Amino acid sequence: MADPPLDPLAMPIEPLRRTFRTPPSGQVGSNDLAPTVRSCDGCGEPFQTLSGRRRYCTACQQARWEEGERSRCLEEAQQAGQLRRRWMELDSAIPRRYWGATIETLVGRHVAGPKKQAQRYAEGLVDGGYQGGDSMVLCSHTRGTGKTHLAIGVAQLLMDSRLKEPPPWGRCPALFATAANLFRRIRATYRDGAMESEAEIIEELASAPLLILDDVGQERPSEHTRETYYLVINGRYNGERPLMLTSN
């Protein structure tokens, strides 16, 4: 909570009075700071004031400020919650089954080391920023080892960290895409009446703050797949944006 605003009217009268010119004897000038007494609109108790515009005593004024801060914090928390849900369900494109995936919730044999590495990687992006951030490859010889879970856990940590900052929060800090879905979307652009172009898809993946590209290498190798990977990776390299790859 921010420090409450200073109240010059609550300061001692005499030091303030000495900063103004004393009017001639027998006259009352506009700079006269003699206090007046009025009833507080909050508690009804009398208090001294140097300005007829003041309506609340010091205690009630402080209480009103604190209530305003509580209301502001509650409103920000509600906005952050709504934005967090939109990021998860729409903007990040994370599959529904992984909405609850975090680094901490990954369990299994031999996961302690990878979890620590993923945690350090995420914290490095939070502390150092995305621009120029390192990339990371999660690779194993078999399926089901938790690579996708860990990668999405990094995205979850980035989203939570972003929403702890003061607003505005900007765009979603992570985008998830599987290699299979990437090539399916690109093939769909070749049909008449396509809703998006291949260049727009490449730009979307190249410009995300953090891109998680999942299951790389599962598709049939071809000149087209190699060119697509090159465009995405090179676009992120030139933009100095981090990339997470998972592959078997």
Side-chain angles (χ1 to χ4, degrees):
M1 182 180 298
D3 293 333
L6 294 177
D7 180 11
L9 301 180
M11 298 175 65
I13 300 300
E14 289 306 319
L16 282 176
R17 187 192 300 275
R18 288 196 296 271
T19 65
F20 290 84
R21 186 177 57 189
T22 302
S25 177
Q27 300 181 17
V28 179
S30 60
N31 287 333
D32 183 38
L33 292 179
T36 59
V37 178
R38 65 168 297 169
S39 297
C40 174
D41 286 1
C43 64
E45 293 294 325
F47 70 96
Q48 288 187 338
T49 176
L50 302 179
S51 170
R53 294 188 299 272
R54 186 179 175 195
R55 298 169 51 197
Y56 298 94
C57 66
T58 300
C60 288
Q61 185 168 283
Q62 175 72 14
R64 284 169 58 83
W65 179 83
E66 291 177 354
E67 179 61 30
E69 283 295 288
R70 282 192 291 269
S71 298
R72 181 187 62 79
C73 291
L74 178 60
E75 182 178 357
E76 283 188 5
Q78 292 172 341
Q79 292 174 351
Q82 294 170 356
L83 183 59
R84 181 67 164 81
R85 182 172 181 177
R86 194 192 80 186
W87 281 354
M88 178 58 62
E89 298 181 5
L90 296 175
D91 298 357
S92 68
I94 291 175
R96 186 183 186 90
R97 69 173 298 163
Y98 290 105
W99 285 357
T102 66
I103 296 174
E104 292 78 10
T105 56
L106 178 63
V107 296
R109 298 178 59 189
H110 312 301
V111 299
K115 287 172 66 172
K116 290 181 180 179
Q117 292 177 333
Q119 184 75 26
R120 285 196 299 267
Y121 178 72
E123 291 173 353
L125 292 180
V126 171
D127 296 338
Y130 299 84
Q131 199 72 21
D134 292 333
S135 294
M136 187 177 196
V137 176
L138 298 173
C139 184
S140 67
H141 297 294
T142 57
R143 292 179 175 272
T145 56
K147 299 183 298 294
T148 302
H149 187 122
L150 269 185
I152 292 176
V154 169
Q156 299 268 28
L157 192 151
L158 297 181
M159 287 187 275
D160 290 340
S161 297
R162 174 71 62 82
L163 291 174
K164 291 178 182 178
E165 301 173 359
W169 295 293
R171 65 185 295 188
C172 181
L175 176 65
F176 177 89
T178 64
N181 189 54
L182 165 62
F183 292 109
R184 180 191 62 78
R185 288 177 63 189
I186 289 178
R187 286 194 298 270
T189 65
Y190 303 149
R191 294 195 289 264
D192 292 338
M195 301 298 293
E196 56 185 353
S197 68
E198 182 175 0
E200 289 172 339
I201 296 172
I202 299 298
E203 174 60 24
E204 176 189 344
L205 271 62
S207 63
L210 170 69
L211 173 65
I212 299 172
L213 195 53
D214 193 41
D215 277 342
V216 172
Q218 299 303 305
E219 69 290 333
R220 181 178 299 175
S222 69
E223 186 64 29
H224 179 258
T225 59
R226 286 191 290 270
E227 180 183 1
T228 300
Y229 281 136
Y230 171 79
L231 291 174
V232 173
I233 295 173
N234 189 62
R236 299 196 64 80
Y237 175 79
N238 288 334
E240 296 185 319
R241 298 183 182 95
L243 169 67
M244 290 192 76
L245 294 177
T246 76
S247 181
N248 293 316

